[in-house]
Amino acid sequence: MPRARISDVAAAAGVSASTVSLVMNDVEARIPEQTRQRVRDAARAVGYAPSSVARGLRMQQTHTVGLISDQIATTPFAGRMLAGAQDAARESGHLVFLVDTDGDAGIERDAIRALMAQQVDAMIYACMWHRVVDAPAGLPASTVFLDCRPVAGGYRSVVPDDRAGGLAAARELVAAGHRRIAYLDTDDSPIASSLRHAGYVEALTEAGIPVDPALHVNGDTSAHGGRLATERLLDLPERRRPTAIFCFNDRMAVGVYTAAHHRGLEIPRDLSVVGYDDQQLIAAEQDPPLTTVALPHYAMGRWAMEVALGVRAEGDEDATHLMECPVIRRDSVGPPPAQVAKPNRRRASLTERLP
């Protein structure tokens, strides 16, 4: 059916089109309440609804927010950022226009141009993981960067406090009594890995534990990478072998579990493990459940949206806000074993099946 027009309401109510416009847009005018009610009743009867787009253009506000990301909409791991942003937007009466670019610069450029043409009230630029980015051309100065920080200043941004997260993870193992604590690192995410490693070193230093370079090993950010790195650690001489391992992420921690199992080691009786991310369907599903450090994705998404909409007042416009990464305690951390397991506990038949 054709959309009802303002003239249809005017004819049904017996008033002018200008009177209908004033009533439907809640404009202060000397219109009797009886007439106002007659106009509202007529609008309902003919199925008329004012255009929110037109109203937004008149009031210089469209109640929409543009959110451009690389992959967060298609990655459950980082999707909580989107949930936090959407909840904050909904509470402020805003709709989120999301464009997932998959890292394509052309799509990103077109998305920025299209969202700006829609006159969105605010813009957020989000990344799936913590990194430094070049601010794309065309973004307004009021854009908020989520889980990333621009190379140039002038923008507000929110990222996880990865140094403090690494410090908290290593402290958890130190508090359990461990002194030979390894760090499974990665080259895939240089900012986060260096910050988490710095926190790890700080925790050992403040506890008076010498930092052993042999206990800092790299691998790719997968269970396979974590398993191979753990094998190298467990092949160290007994006096240097770790009793606890802090992993760059939860997927690498899964590899620690696998390597420990094939050596006949039990977690946490023989080896304590701490992950990072608190990744859904991974950390809590291990046996035993994995102690880990949570990335505050939901909180970061809310913060970015609230700042973009002016709900949350922040100080310096080009400041980077660091969001706390709390430790999620489960069952993978215990006291160090009286004697570190020796290589002869290896289950040779199982090890041979590894790819």
Side-chain angles (χ1 to χ4, degrees), residues 81-155:
M81 284 192 288
L82 178 58
Q86 286 183 320
D87 285 351
R90 189 181 304 112
E91 292 165 12
S92 297
H94 285 74
L95 179 68
V96 179
F97 289 160
L98 170 67
V99 180
D100 219 42
T101 67
D102 199 26
D104 187 301
I107 296 175
E108 184 176 89
R109 183 175 55 253
D110 293 343
I112 293 173
R113 187 162 47 241
L115 289 170
M116 295 306 295
Q118 290 293 321
Q119 299 189 35
V120 292
D121 296 337
M123 286 280 284
I124 294 174
Y125 185 89
C127 292
M128 188 176 71
W129 64 82
H130 182 182
R131 64 180 183 268
V132 174
V133 297
D134 290 314
L139 287 177
S142 58
T143 299
V144 177
F145 283 71
L146 171 57
D147 205 20
C148 57
R149 23 187 172 181
V151 174
Y155 295 96

Side-chain angles (χ1 to χ4, degrees), residues 70-322:
D70 49 4
Q71 294 176 315
I72 67 171
T74 55
T75 307
F77 167 59
R80 293 288 292 165
M81 284 192 288
L82 178 58
Q86 286 183 320
D87 285 351
R90 189 181 304 112
E91 292 165 12
S92 297
H94 285 74
L95 179 68
V96 179
F97 289 160
L98 170 67
V99 180
D100 219 42
T101 67
D102 199 26
D104 187 301
I107 296 175
E108 184 176 89
R109 183 175 55 253
D110 293 343
I112 293 173
R113 187 162 47 241
L115 289 170
M116 295 306 295
Q118 290 293 321
Q119 299 189 35
V120 292
D121 296 337
M123 286 280 284
I124 294 174
Y125 185 89
C127 292
M128 188 176 71
W129 64 82
H130 182 182
R131 64 180 183 268
V132 174
V133 297
D134 290 314
L139 287 177
S142 58
T143 299
V144 177
F145 283 71
L146 171 57
D147 205 20
C148 57
R149 23 187 172 181
V151 174
Y155 295 96
R156 291 161 295 182
S157 60
V158 58
V159 296
D161 192 345
D162 277 311
R163 182 187 179 102
L167 176 62
R171 278 177 173 171
E172 193 76 10
L173 295 167
V174 170
H178 295 276
R179 294 187 62 82
R180 294 198 298 281
I181 303 170
Y183 176 49
L184 291 197
D185 203 349
T186 177
D187 297 321
D188 295 346
S189 183
I191 295 175
S193 65
S194 63
L195 289 172
R196 294 172 195 179
H197 178 252
Y200 157 84
V201 170
E202 182 179 346
L204 268 58
T205 301
E206 70 180 15
I209 300 173
V211 177
D212 185 351
L215 298 183
H216 180 198
V217 297
N218 287 60
D220 65 62
T221 57
S222 66
H224 180 71
R227 179 180 66 80
L228 294 179
T230 303
E231 290 286 351
R232 297 202 301 272
L233 289 169
L234 296 180
D235 284 337
L236 289 171
E238 180 182 340
R239 62 183 180 82
R240 300 186 67 186
R241 204 174 304 144
T243 62
I245 300 178
F246 164 40
C247 304
F248 173 79
N249 66 10
D250 292 342
R251 289 184 296 169
M252 295 184 82
V254 172
V256 176
Y257 275 58
T258 302
H261 171 72
H262 287 289
R263 294 270 180 146
L265 307 179
E266 292 184 16
I267 297 173
R269 187 195 69 184
D270 302 308
L271 184 67
S272 289
V273 186
V274 173
Y276 207 106
D277 294 347
D278 194 27
Q279 193 164 347
Q280 188 179 19
L281 302 180
I282 292 183
E285 301 303 318
Q286 298 307 302
D287 183 18
L290 176 67
T291 292
T292 187
V293 178
L295 282 173
H297 283 143
Y298 181 87
M300 289 194 300
R302 279 198 71 96
W303 187 97
M305 184 60 70
E306 288 172 355
V307 170
L309 294 176
V311 175
R312 180 190 293 266
E314 292 297 320
D316 298 334
E317 290 196 352
D318 61 350
T320 295
H321 181 73
L322 299 177

